[in-house]
């Protein structure tokens, strides 16, 4: 699809459907002087009256395009009034604090401070994250239902955004960048995501065109804020996959507060549903805490800490995989010996202090330390038999009646890594009364990496060892002639690297809100820089620097329809992280350049009412022109780089998302995306990149039984067209352009809610101690679809062909879960 066609589709979708609505909406949470939610507050506006619930939450419709007054009254608190003048369908968030000493009055004429909307940021409700089922439930599970976000691995928390890879996504928690392990090669090794959903307050996500204040990556930003509790609370969750517990603590004088969570996960239930029969003993556990201390009204300090230990003991026994066609069904039977022992220990701490120099000037100082020790040790012998089966319903070796290939494969690894990453950063925000703002920051990062990689693979086919084709050896014409040359591993990677990377980075960004005629306008202009140098015991890189100017512009016309148009983009750079410096032989190239992307995004955001309920339609068209690309291959979730910059690439596509209250009181959405991304390696021509997932459709749906509203249903549906299937070792990827089958998955959850915010509980009932209590049943992969993550290449001894044997993911799995909050 060329650019003119994309623009035509964009304009057509922006103007081809409109609903007219004359109301705006005010909602929020009412608190008292001690930050406790206030229930049963009456909110009245022009004859419309509503009440706040037990959590203090309220929502009310108000007339648009004119001044309207809201009156807040409570039996034991003083009255509060608010005057607003809002646009049609505009949503104004108002969190008042009522007291018993004096009446309060306020006025808001233009409330459009919803900066996230004009910046193209998607906000995910923290409560929704915990409800939606998934094999790896959490924030990433929700992200995979958004347009432009792709993944075909339910065991992994990794995701690719608009043609990028897993290493191109920024993740922040409380403004601190967090990292993922280095040596992970499969989803079943991952265990827990860094983010603990029990601690989350806000989740913001941008799929591209983000501002200069965010870091140096090419694809996306996930910005997470942990809670600052105002009262004691506790939460608990348990399921067949593990459990978690969290506690909120607040001191008597309200100066100290802390939220702490403990998690444990065991993936055995999921891994045992795959083709490979295993003895699988994982232990994934972590502890996280977020501590806050208010020294004064101007000065606050906080600490974010995490200790994580992931142990992965894996002993494969047998594998039986069926593939081929109806006319020619084939099977691969594999018998294993050996085991894998992996261990990933991470320690993370961040200290942040915020000082309000004046009402319009704030400074922040952030320091963080990340330490990971990782080991990946395995010796696994696989003996396989490939052939036709005489029973289509069976894939056991006993039913292979014509053997096409037989052989063995021995994989060995002794990989160890120790990484220490330290950061210190100062940030500033200066505001002016004319809706202008200046943000700036300066950051120093030091990365110290100690890495040993010893990894080899020996292949024996039909009783004869296969040497690597890249080594010149005497001709091996067995069994017709004896072979007297050396026997070498088919693949052999050995390297020891001790490297230090020093980085200086910073940004400055100017934000302005103004008017153009009767329309509201926002713009953000900024630039980032980063300089870095790679050094080590045997390498010394040159100093490098990049500058990345970025801009955003948004306009909200003065129409009856509540629409925002956006354009954003700029020059984005991704200086290489350690993984991108290491080539296929494990050797570090210190002079790998930053990958560069010229990025532009056109967006439209339209709020409207359907069935008298709020909805939003978002359309975005994007184009990326990439240069100095560092080519890579993906095996499961392991990314291996060539570690040069000999490639150029592009990515283009369009994303649509419709979200709203399909069912009254619950938010659901439907997403659709089209993507095309290709690369040109050393001017050989353009081929599909490993993340070229052309079409994506996803649905997140929440519902309840009308006659029994305490019985809830949660649906998570994802359909992705197939990714490129990869190529055998030493082969030309330009020859192997086959694709995996489409990824189709539906996860569904049913929950019986005994207590929630709307439940009235008698004081004598044992349930009165709970704020939330539910029991649920989850069915993962409801329709038992076979989804492949990669291919295993097996040689046919007769035809010398290599067959792509799909490595299937998990099948249908049942899980039970209980959630409680005090």
């Amino acid at each position: 699809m060329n650019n003119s066609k994309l623009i035509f589709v964009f304009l057509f979708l922006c103007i081809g459907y409109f609903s007219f609505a004359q109301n705006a909406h005010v909602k929020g949470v009412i608190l008292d002087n001690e930050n406790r939610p206030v229930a049963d507050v009456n909110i009245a506006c022009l004859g419309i009256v509503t009440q706040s619930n037990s959590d203090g939450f309220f929502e009310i419709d108000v007339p648009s395009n004119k001044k309207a007054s809201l009156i807040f009254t409570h039996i034991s608190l003083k009255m509060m009034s608010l005057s607003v003048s809002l646009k049609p369908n505009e949503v104004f968030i108002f969190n008042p604090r009522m007291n018993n000493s004096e009446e309060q009055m306020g006025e808001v004429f233009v409330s459009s401070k919803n900066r996230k909307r004009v910046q193209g940021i998607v906000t995910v409700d923290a409560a929704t994250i915990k409800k939606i089922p998934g094999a790896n439930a959490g924030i990433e599970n929700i992200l995979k239902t958004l347009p432009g976000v792709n993944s075909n691995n339910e065991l992994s928390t990794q995701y690719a955004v608009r043609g990028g890879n897993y290493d191109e996504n920024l993740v922040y928690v409380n403004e601190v960048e967090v990292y993922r392990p280095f040596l992970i090669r499969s989803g079943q090794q991952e265990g827990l995501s860094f983010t603990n959903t029990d601690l989350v307050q806000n989740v913001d996500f941008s799929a591209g065109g983000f501002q200069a204040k965010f870091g140096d990556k090419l694809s996306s930003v996930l910005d997470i804020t942990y809670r600052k509790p105002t009262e004691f609370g506790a939460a608990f969750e348990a399921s067949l996959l593990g459990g978690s517990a969290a506690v909120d603590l607040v001191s008597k004088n309200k100066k100290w507060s802390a939220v702490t969570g403990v998690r444990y996960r065991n993936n055995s239930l999921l891994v045992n549903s795959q083709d490979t029969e295993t003895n699988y003993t994982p232990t994934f556990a972590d502890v996280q805490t977020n501590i806050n201390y208010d020294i004064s009204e101007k000065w606050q300090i906080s600490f974010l800490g995490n200790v994580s230990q992931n142990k992965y003991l894996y002993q494969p026994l047998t594998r039986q995989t069926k593939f081929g066609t109806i006319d020619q069904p084939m099977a691969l039977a594999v018998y294993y010996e050996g085991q894998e022992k992996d261990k990933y220990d991470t320690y993370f701490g961040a200290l942040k202090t915020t000082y309000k120099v004046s009402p319009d000037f704030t400074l922040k100082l952030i320091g963080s330390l990340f330490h990971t020790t990782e080991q990946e040790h395995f010796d696994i012998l696989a003996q396989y038999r490939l052939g036709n089966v005489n029973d289509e319903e069976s894939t056991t070796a006993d039913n292979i009646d014509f053997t096409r290939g037989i052989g063995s494969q021995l994989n060995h690894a002794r990989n160890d890594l120790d990484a220490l990453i330290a950061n210190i950063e100062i940030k500033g925000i200066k505001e002016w009364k004319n809706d202008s703002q200046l943000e700036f920051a300066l950051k120093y990062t030091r990365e110290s990496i100690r890495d040993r990689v010893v990894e080899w693979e020996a292949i024996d086919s039909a009783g004869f060892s296969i040497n690597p084709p890249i080594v010149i050896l005497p001709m091996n014409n067995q069994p017709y002639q004896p072979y007297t040359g050396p026997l070498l591993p088919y693949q052999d990677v050995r390297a020891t690297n001790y490297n230090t990377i020093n980085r200086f980075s910073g940004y400055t960004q100017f934000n302005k809100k103004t008017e153009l005629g009767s329309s509201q306008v926002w713009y953000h202009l900024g630039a980032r820089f980063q300089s870095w140098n790679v050094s080590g015991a045997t390498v010394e890189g040159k100093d490098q620097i990049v500058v990345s100017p970025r801009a955003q512009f948004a306009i909200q016309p003065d129409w009856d329809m509540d629409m925002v148009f956006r354009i954003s983009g700029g020059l984005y750079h991704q200086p290489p992280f350690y993984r991108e410096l290491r080539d296929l032989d494990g050797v570090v190239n210190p002079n790998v350049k930053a990958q560069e992307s010229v990025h532009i995004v056109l967006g439209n955001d339209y709020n409207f009412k359907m069935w008298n309920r709020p909805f939003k339609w978002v359309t975005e068209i994007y184009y990326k022109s990439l240069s100095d690309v560092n080519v890579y291959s993906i095996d499961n979730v392991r990314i291996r780089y060539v570690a040069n910059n000999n490639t150029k690439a592009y990515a283009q596509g369009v994303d649509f998302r419709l979200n709203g209250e399909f069912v009254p009181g619950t938010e659901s959405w439907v997403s659709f995306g089209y993507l095309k991304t290709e690369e040109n390696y050393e001017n050989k021509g353009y081929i599909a990149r490993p993340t070229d997932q052309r079409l994506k459709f996803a649905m997140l749906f929440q519902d309840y039984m009308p006659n029994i509203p305490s019985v809830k249903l949660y649906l998570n549906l994802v359909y992705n067209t197939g990714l490129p299937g990869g190529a055998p070792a030493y082969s030309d990827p330009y020859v192997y352009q086959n694709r995996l089958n489409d990824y189709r998955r539906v996860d569904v959850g049913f929950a019986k809610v005994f207590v929630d915010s709307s439940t009235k509980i008698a004081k004598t009932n044992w349930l009165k101690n709970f704020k939330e209590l539910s029991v649920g049943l989850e069915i993962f992969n409801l329709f038992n679809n076979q989804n492949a993550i990669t291919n295993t290449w097996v040689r046919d001894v007769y035809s010398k062909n290599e067959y792509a044997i799909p490595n299937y993911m998990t099948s249908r799995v049942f899980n039970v879960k209980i959630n409680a909050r005090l």
Side-chain angles (χ1 to χ4, degrees):
M1 182 181 293
N2 58 39
N3 294 340
S4 62
K5 289 182 179 180
L6 286 174
I7 294 172
F8 173 79
V9 171
F10 171 72
L11 295 176
F12 174 80
L13 288 164
C14 287
I15 66 176
Y17 52 88
F18 294 118
S19 300
F20 294 87
Q22 299 301 320
N23 284 339
H25 319 284
V26 179
K27 63 181 180 179
V29 176
I30 304 172
L31 304 173
D32 62 15
N33 282 336
E34 295 183 353
N35 288 322
R36 294 177 301 193
V38 182
D40 301 324
V41 176
N42 291 310
I43 304 101
C45 179
L46 299 178
I48 301 174
V49 180
T50 187
Q51 272 194 338
S52 61
N53 63 19
S54 60
D55 288 331
F57 177 80
F58 74 95
E59 184 171 11
I60 189 170
D61 289 348
V62 299
S64 60
N65 290 331
K66 66 179 182 180
K67 186 175 180 179
S69 295
L70 287 82
I71 306 298
F72 297 78
T73 58
H74 188 268
I75 190 171
S76 61
L77 299 173
K78 294 293 185 179
M79 184 192 76
M80 170 182 285
S81 64
L82 174 72
S83 295
V84 295
S85 180
L86 305 176
K87 298 282 186 180
N89 292 315
E90 184 175 356
V91 178
F92 176 52
I93 307 298
F94 180 58
N95 300 316
R97 183 169 295 170
M98 300 182 71
N99 60 58
N100 55 11
S101 59
E102 60 181 2
E103 294 185 358
Q104 303 172 73
M105 299 180 65
E107 192 164 19
V108 179
F109 285 108
V110 180
S111 75
S112 298
K113 294 191 176 181
N114 188 357
R115 294 171 181 165
K116 296 175 184 178
R117 182 186 182 195
V118 301
Q119 294 170 12
I121 291 175
V122 176
T123 299
V124 180
D125 179 46
T128 301
I129 295 170
K130 290 188 65 66
K131 295 175 183 177
I132 302 305
N136 219 326
I139 292 174
E140 297 83 0
N141 183 48
I142 302 296
L143 294 183
K144 293 173 185 179
T145 66
L146 298 178
V149 182
N150 297 313
S151 173
N152 64 341
N153 187 344
E154 62 269 13
L155 292 176
S156 173
T157 60
Q158 307 305 318
Y159 51 90
V161 179
R162 292 179 175 174
N165 68 31
Y166 309 140
D167 291 334
E168 296 179 12
N169 305 311
L170 285 162
V171 180
Y172 293 97
V173 176
N174 291 357
E175 299 185 84
V176 181
E177 185 175 358
V178 298
Y179 306 90
R180 70 187 186 98
F182 290 76
L183 297 183
I184 293 289
R185 68 172 66 207
S186 68
Q188 63 196 40
Q189 296 173 330
E190 273 191 29
L192 296 164
S193 164
F194 180 91
T195 308
N196 187 331
T197 55
D198 289 328
L199 315 187
V200 168
Q201 176 177 307
N202 295 319
V203 178
D204 297 331
F205 179 75
S206 173
F210 43 86
Q211 299 173 9
K213 67 180 180 180
F214 295 113
D216 295 294
K217 298 283 188 179
L218 297 181
S219 292
S220 74
V221 174
L222 177 62
D223 190 11
I224 299 163
T225 303
Y226 277 178
R227 285 198 321 274
K228 185 178 179 180
T230 58
E231 62 179 359
F232 173 80
F236 170 79
E237 178 183 302
S239 76
L240 298 180
L241 292 171
S244 65
V247 60
D248 296 356
L249 299 173
V250 181
S251 66
K252 289 184 178 180
N253 61 5
K254 306 293 184 180
K255 287 184 174 290
W256 286 93
S257 65
V259 55
T260 301
V262 180
R263 295 182 295 172
Y264 169 79
R265 183 174 175 87
N266 187 319
N267 279 339
S268 298
L269 185 69
L270 297 166
V271 173
N272 290 337
S273 72
Q274 296 180 283
D275 282 345
T276 303
E277 182 183 350
T278 67
N279 290 326
Y280 177 66
T281 312
T283 303
F284 305 136
D286 80 342
V287 179
Q288 279 191 44
T289 187
N290 182 38
I291 303 172
N292 299 276
Y293 177 54
D294 295 336
I295 301 173
S296 66
E297 291 184 358
K298 292 185 176 182
W299 192 7
Q300 295 86 39
I301 191 169
S302 65
F303 172 77
L304 174 65
N306 174 72
V307 176
S308 174
Q309 183 180 80
N310 294 344
K311 291 183 178 180
Y312 175 82
L313 305 178
Y314 180 73
Q315 184 180 15
L317 302 176
T318 62
R319 169 181 172 176
Q320 300 166 352
T321 301
K322 181 173 67 176
F323 66 103
T325 64
I326 296 177
D327 295 333
Q328 189 179 26
M330 299 182 68
L332 174 72
V334 186
Y335 301 92
Y336 296 96
E337 295 180 26
Q339 62 181 339
E340 179 174 354
K341 292 184 178 180
D342 301 335
K343 185 178 180 182
Y344 312 93
D345 294 338
T346 60
Y347 308 88
F348 176 84
L351 191 67
K352 181 173 79 171
T353 180
T354 303
Y355 184 70
K356 206 167 187 63
V357 181
S358 66
D360 54 10
F361 183 42
T362 303
L363 286 174
K364 300 178 182 180
L365 181 65
I366 304 172
S368 67
L369 197 65
F370 173 79
H371 183 213
T372 180
T373 57
E374 305 176 19
Q375 75 167 39
E376 183 185 46
H377 294 179
F378 58 78
D379 289 283
I380 296 178
L381 172 65
Q383 297 175 310
Y384 68 86
R385 185 181 177 192
L386 172 71
N388 300 91
V389 293
N390 53 28
D391 182 356
E392 188 176 340
E393 298 299 321
S394 175
T395 59
T396 64
D398 293 338
N399 288 281
I400 296 179
D401 60 355
F402 180 76
T403 299
R404 291 179 170 270
I406 189 169
S408 61
Q409 179 177 308
L410 177 60
N411 286 280
H412 167 93
R414 293 294 183 271
N415 300 331
D416 297 279
L417 182 139
D418 188 316
L420 182 66
I421 302 174
N423 296 277
I424 187 166
E425 179 179 21
I426 185 168
K427 288 184 174 183
I429 303 174
K430 170 65 177 176
E431 297 180 342
W432 290 273
K433 292 182 179 179
N434 61 349
D435 287 323
S436 300
Q437 186 185 69
L438 179 68
E439 300 181 68
F440 60 89
L442 188 64
K443 180 179 181 181
Y444 170 69
T445 301
R446 180 180 177 87
E447 301 162 9
S448 178
I449 314 291
R450 295 181 295 172
D451 178 29
R452 182 195 71 170
V453 53
V454 177
E455 187 175 324
W456 52 262
E457 176 188 50
I459 297 179
D460 179 287
S461 181
F464 305 103
S465 179
I466 299 176
N467 289 323
I470 60 173
V471 179
I472 300 177
L473 294 170
M475 180 176 292
N476 185 350
N477 195 28
Q478 297 182 84
Y480 308 105
Q481 295 177 351
Y483 175 70
T484 58
L487 299 179
L488 300 177
Y490 191 67
Q491 296 187 76
D492 192 9
V493 178
R494 298 172 186 267
T496 301
N497 302 304
Y498 295 87
N499 297 104
T500 299
I501 307 172
N502 291 291
R503 304 180 191 268
F504 289 93
S505 62
Y507 67 83
T508 181
Q509 178 174 303
F510 179 72
N511 310 313
K512 175 71 175 176
K513 175 191 171 186
T514 184
E515 293 184 354
L516 183 63
S518 59
S519 301
Q520 298 183 68
V521 172
W522 297 261
Y523 58 84
H524 310 271
L525 305 174
R528 292 189 62 83
F529 83 92
Q530 184 173 147
S531 67
W532 73 97
N533 173 272
V534 180
S535 60
T538 58
V539 297
E540 186 67 37
K542 60 184 180 181
D543 294 333
Q544 301 188 62
I545 186 170
V546 292
V547 178
S548 305
R550 306 174 188 176
Q552 289 185 335
F553 175 83
I555 183 170
Q556 185 176 31
D558 185 21
W559 298 346
D560 288 336
M561 296 166 291
D562 183 8
M563 302 190 72
V564 172
F565 296 89
R566 297 186 302 269
I567 181 170
S568 60
L571 185 61
Y572 292 76
H573 288 96
Q574 181 165 321
F577 199 47
Y578 175 74
R579 190 167 21 243
E580 296 155 76
L581 296 170
R582 203 175 74 174
D583 65 16
L584 298 178
D585 294 323
V587 178
V588 167
N589 177 3
N591 294 316
V592 173
K593 295 186 292 184
Q595 300 182 84
E596 181 178 286
S597 172
V598 178
H599 195 172
I600 184 168
V601 181
L602 300 176
N604 169 256
D605 187 309
Y606 173 42
N607 288 338
F608 63 98
K609 275 207 168 184
M610 186 165 58
W611 308 313
N612 202 32
R613 297 194 291 271
F615 282 83
K616 179 193 291 285
W617 178 273
V618 180
T619 304
E620 287 192 336
I621 298 174
Y622 57 90
Y623 181 81
K624 304 179 190 179
S625 176
L626 297 105
S627 56
D628 292 330
V629 174
N630 192 349
V631 169
Y632 61 89
S633 61
I634 298 180
D635 181 7
N636 204 299
V637 299
R638 185 194 195 193
I639 300 177
R640 300 183 66 190
Y641 291 91
V642 176
N644 62 33
N645 300 99
N646 297 342
T647 304
K648 55 186 177 180
Y650 71 89
Q652 63 183 23
V654 57
D655 289 336
F656 308 102
R657 180 171 177 249
L658 174 66
N659 73 293
E661 294 187 14
F662 291 91
V663 175
T666 64
E667 183 184 20
S668 303
W669 61 74
V670 177
S671 303
F672 175 78
Y674 166 80
L675 162 71
K676 183 177 182 181
T677 180
E678 294 183 322
E679 62 189 17
N680 182 356
Y681 180 65
E682 296 183 338
N683 293 319
K684 293 181 179 179
Y686 281 94
I687 60 171
R689 303 191 79 193
T691 54
D692 182 35
Q693 201 145 43
R694 291 296 172 89
L695 297 178
K696 189 259 179 69
F697 175 82
M699 176 187 294
L700 185 149
F701 189 74
Q702 302 184 70
D703 198 357
Y704 55 84
M705 295 180 64
N707 297 327
I708 315 176
S710 62
V711 177
K712 313 286 187 181
L713 178 143
Y714 307 105
L715 180 72
N716 182 356
L717 180 152
V718 175
Y719 169 80
N720 297 324
T721 53
L723 289 167
Y730 303 115
S731 63
D732 185 356
Y734 278 78
V735 176
Y736 290 85
Q737 283 296 293
N738 61 308
R739 287 180 177 263
L740 300 170
N741 291 332
D742 296 350
Y743 182 87
R744 300 162 297 164
R745 186 176 179 89
V746 178
D747 297 330
V748 64
F750 305 91
K752 167 60 179 174
V753 179
F754 296 97
V755 181
D756 63 10
S757 58
S758 63
T759 307
K760 302 295 184 182
I761 302 295
K763 292 184 178 180
T764 57
N765 194 315
W766 66 275
L767 293 174
K768 65 181 177 60
N769 296 316
F770 293 93
K771 293 181 179 178
E772 294 180 7
L773 179 63
S774 65
V775 176
L777 170 68
E778 296 177 326
I779 307 175
F780 305 139
N781 197 358
L782 177 64
F783 299 111
N784 203 27
N785 294 313
Q786 283 191 312
N787 296 309
I789 177 66
T790 54
N791 286 321
T792 295
W793 297 89
V794 176
R795 183 187 300 269
D796 183 338
V797 70
Y798 295 99
S799 65
K800 306 300 182 184
N801 293 329
E802 289 193 281
Y803 288 89
I805 315 298
N807 297 313
Y808 292 119
M809 296 300 295
T810 60
S811 57
R812 185 188 295 118
V813 172
F814 294 85
N815 184 38
V816 292
K817 183 169 70 172
I818 181 171
N819 281 290
R821 186 166 69 89
L822 304 177

